[in-house]
Amino acid sequence: MSTSNDPPVRSVRRAPDPERRSRVGLALVGLVIVALGLVGRFALPGAAGDVAGGLLYAALVYVVVAMVVPRASGTRIALVALAVVLGVELLQLTGVPAAIGEAFPPARLVLGTTFVVSDLVIGAVGVALMATTDAVLARPRGSR
């Protein structure tokens, strides 16, 4: 029973969890990154295409890791993404990615074929840019 002296009932909103990511949102971001990467791969000449592709590849790895563990901290996601990006690049020293690329050409887009030292830096920068973007987007709207 309610009397006229009872205070009005107010809904309580929880503050958004900055470490909670939407898998659907991440999937959409991933699709945009893949589209940009494919356009860049085939439209940008030489070094520009290589750098853009490396940055977008690293950003996509970050997004995939975030999709797998959407509640993980941005730092943890970045560290795992960085390990994957650097690991794939170092794996190219073995020739395994090149052999896989020979057998299945689309694998070249994922594994690459040739080790290039600058790709280590480009990958780290790509992960850092995506982690920064993730952190900015995770902030409550009033603090941006």
Side-chain angles (χ1 to χ4, degrees):
M1 284 202 310
S2 173
T3 65
S4 61
N5 294 335
D6 289 341
V9 177
R10 295 184 185 170
S11 65
V12 177
R13 286 188 180 198
R14 290 197 296 182
D17 180 359
E19 302 302 345
R20 185 166 189 255
R21 296 163 184 86
S22 160
R23 284 191 171 115
V24 172
L26 289 167
L28 292 173
V29 169
L31 288 173
V32 169
I33 290 171
V34 168
L36 289 172
L38 290 173
V39 167
R41 170 82 168 94
F42 298 108
L44 293 174
D50 291 342
V51 171
L55 291 172
L56 290 167
Y57 177 84
L60 183 61
V61 171
Y62 182 97
V63 169
V64 170
V65 172
M67 286 179 70
V68 172
V69 286
R71 291 185 182 258
S73 71
T75 301
R76 287 185 185 197
I77 292 170
L79 290 173
V80 170
L82 182 61
V84 170
V85 168
L86 298 181
V88 167
E89 187 63 29
L90 292 173
L91 184 64
Q92 293 170 3
L93 289 168
T94 68
V96 170
I100 293 170
E102 282 292 317
F104 185 64
R108 292 179 190 160
L109 295 173
V110 177
L111 299 176
T113 57
T114 308
F115 175 79
V116 179
V117 173
S118 62
D119 285 351
L120 297 171
V121 174
I122 292 168
V125 170
V127 169
L129 288 172
M130 195 63 212
T132 302
T133 301
D134 185 27
V136 168
L137 294 177
R139 282 193 223 155
R141 295 210 185 267
S143 64
R144 284 188 204 166

